[in-house]
Amino acid sequence: MLREPDPARCRDLAADLRDAGFTAEALRDAWGQAADDAIARGLRSPASRGLGDREDPLAVLGRLLVLGMPQAAASVDRALVRTGAEGLTRLGLASAEGGEVRPLALVRPQSYADETGSGHWWVASDLDEAALGGPLPEDHVLGVGGASLTLAGLQLPTPAARGLDIGAGCGIQALRARAHVDHVVATDISARALAFTRLNALLNGVDGIEVRQGSLFAPVEGELFDRVVSNPPFVITPRVADVPAYEYRDGGMVGDDLVAAFVSGVGRHLAPGGVAQLLGNWETRDRIAGLDRVRGWIESSPVPLDAWVVERERLDPLSYAELWVRDGGTLPGTPGFARLVDAWLDDFGARGVTEVGFGYLLLRRPLDGVPTLSRYETLHAALAGDGLGAHLAAALDAHDRLGTLDDAALAASVLLVAPDVTEARHHLPGADDPTIIELRQGGGFGRALGVDPGLAALVGACDGDLPVGVLIDAIAELLEVDAGALRADLLPRVRELLFTGFLRFVPGG
């Protein structure tokens, strides 16, 4: 049982981890990149082999707290001078008996970086499948995974007063939000998850995080927030006997009803101008596309909302079922795997589900109550890199500014091409003119956009010197086309390029 974390012991443990150089980079150097990658796939023996017989503090803590392997109590006492084996047991992170310390939780270092700087956290969570040697218990508290890192990177890096993290789990989103939000309320239905959230806040010296137990918005009824973030338990799970209902991923509702409930309820808890960001699954049912169903949820919200929804992936029912059965620690070929897959397929079949989408939702309560943003798109390419939160914030700023500009005002604006944009031209052998001109984005969502010579020329000429209208007139003369017609064609596309980050307004202009 994870105990109520003692602040003094958490400070001691943090100091010991710091003295040991317990960082993600140091561990990766110690056991090698390939072994580090294998840990994410549930394989810990390559990392253990990489450490060999080393008994320095980094190696001992790597085995104990990252790989979940028992260590000699004497080695732990030497590695954690202030905390020792006794301190770990009093924090509920380990047990000690017969000169051996057995981990009861993992504490893994996690690096982070955004445009405001970089650093690392130590994140405690429950033992994973590799450490347990089998399926997870239903009250398992998940550590930092790919989805949680994605959402952390999507969070807007702009200041706000009050934040809300729904379904906090180990607290990674609350930690990330606290970097830009003055006070964060973290909620979860699981008392164990909230204990990990408190522990991780103390371990990383982060104040201003308040925890409350309850489902969805129940713990914050009647309250408003400037920022809401959630990696909710959105995984679609059959509501039948003998199918494990893991608290960290299963919200106890049918199909995608949990995401629908979040969308329908979040507007009442957003202050004017407040933004909610979450991950979610949505079903394509009875020939109604998943994104269209999401649009319906948002349009029926009792509080009008701006919306930007990005679908990143679609899976057929079988692939989805296999993914989440394996995630729970039941592997192909083991008892129960086929039975669990069949339960998922029966559940999908009963609702006429043919696909399941996964993606990101950004919802905003307009300051004046009138939505102006309604964007639903599919972007299946890999993410371009860090800084997506800043990219989203810049897109919202561009959208709001464009809403104040008619075409004449836009034509009078001076623009810059973003520094991460490159152009590719493809020619047939021996041809002077390209058959394809493509603009590519190195950051943001890594978009690639086919353009015609007129738009390519305009983007290339946006160097912060002349207004857009003057550039279009010059291009029209060069191409020997009507300047008015070219303006009518290019200005709407310039608006899209400003929103998606290919172009930017000149600072201060």
Side-chain angles (χ1 to χ4, degrees), residues 287-301:
R287 300 181 182 178
I288 302 175
L291 276 180
D292 288 338
R293 295 185 63 246
V294 175
R295 186 195 302 267
W297 302 337
I298 294 169
E299 291 179 348
S300 63
S301 168

Side-chain angles (χ1 to χ4, degrees), residues 33-386:
Q33 182 65 56
D36 202 63
D37 294 339
I39 293 172
R41 302 193 300 272
L43 299 173
R44 59 180 184 170
S45 62
S48 179
R49 290 172 182 269
L51 294 176
D53 58 1
R54 286 176 51 175
E55 282 295 315
D56 57 283
L58 181 65
V60 171
L61 297 177
R63 293 190 196 96
L64 180 71
L65 299 179
V66 177
L67 304 181
M69 302 172 66
Q71 296 292 287
S75 297
V76 174
D77 287 338
R78 287 193 296 270
L80 300 174
V81 176
R82 302 168 185 82
T83 309
E86 181 185 359
L88 284 183
T89 61
R90 290 187 178 276
L91 285 170
L93 299 176
S95 63
E97 185 176 353
E100 183 179 71
V101 177
R102 301 188 65 83
L104 299 177
L106 302 175
V107 181
R108 288 177 167 170
Q110 178 63 56
S111 299
Y112 64 87
D114 61 21
E115 68 291 337
T116 63
S118 61
H120 74 268
W121 294 304
W122 297 298
V123 181
S125 63
D126 274 325
L127 298 174
D128 58 16
E129 300 99 316
L132 291 171
L136 302 173
E138 293 191 13
D139 65 348
H140 176 81
V141 177
L142 191 68
V144 179
S148 55
L149 285 177
T150 295
L151 182 59
L154 286 166
Q155 287 195 41
L156 301 183
T158 50
R162 297 197 77 213
L164 172 63
D165 175 12
I166 294 181
C170 68
I172 184 66
Q173 304 306 328
L175 287 174
R176 183 64 177 241
R178 184 62 184 85
H180 306 287
V181 180
D182 295 339
H183 181 82
V184 176
V185 177
T187 71
D188 203 292
I189 198 169
S190 164
R192 183 172 178 80
L194 295 179
F196 273 115
T197 295
R198 288 193 295 270
L199 172 65
N200 287 326
L202 290 169
L203 190 57
N204 292 283
V206 177
D207 61 4
I209 296 178
E210 174 190 352
V211 300
R212 302 183 194 175
Q213 188 174 2
S215 178
L216 285 174
F217 302 102
V220 293
E221 188 60 41
E223 298 181 51
L224 297 178
F225 298 87
D226 306 295
R227 199 68 48 78
V228 178
V229 63
S230 182
N231 182 9
F234 58 76
V235 174
I236 297 165
T237 306
R239 304 261 72 85
V240 296
D242 300 327
V243 173
Y246 296 111
E247 290 181 352
Y248 74 90
R249 71 183 200 189
D250 175 21
M253 298 186 185
V254 174
D256 52 20
D257 286 356
L258 183 120
V259 179
F262 185 102
V263 170
S264 65
V266 72
R268 295 186 300 110
H269 296 281
L270 285 174
V275 172
Q277 295 177 269
L278 70 150
L279 306 181
N281 276 158
W282 39 82
E283 298 176 335
T284 292
R285 291 186 194 171
D286 298 325
R287 300 181 182 178
I288 302 175
L291 276 180
D292 288 338
R293 295 185 63 246
V294 175
R295 186 195 302 267
W297 302 337
I298 294 169
E299 291 179 348
S300 63
S301 168
V303 176
L305 297 170
D306 285 326
W308 183 6
V309 182
V310 177
E311 184 175 71
R312 297 293 300 176
E313 184 179 27
R314 292 180 199 151
L315 292 177
D316 61 83
L318 177 58
S319 298
Y320 188 90
E322 290 186 280
L323 170 67
W324 292 110
V325 173
R326 288 195 305 268
D327 178 80
T330 303
L331 302 179
T334 60
F337 183 83
R339 177 185 59 79
L340 288 173
V341 169
D342 283 340
W344 254 273
L345 296 180
D346 289 343
D347 182 58
F348 285 136
R351 290 192 303 281
V353 175
T354 56
E355 278 187 325
V356 180
F358 165 80
Y360 325 138
L361 298 88
L362 186 153
L363 308 172
R364 182 174 65 169
R365 183 172 181 175
L367 284 170
D368 61 2
V370 180
T372 58
L373 176 61
S374 179
R375 187 180 183 97
Y376 300 82
E377 56 184 325
T378 298
L379 295 171
H380 286 169
L383 296 181
D386 294 329

Side-chain angles (χ1 to χ4, degrees), residues 473-488:
D473 290 345
I475 293 168
E477 184 176 351
L478 181 66
L479 296 178
E480 299 181 345
V481 298
D482 179 75
L486 190 61
R487 281 196 184 208

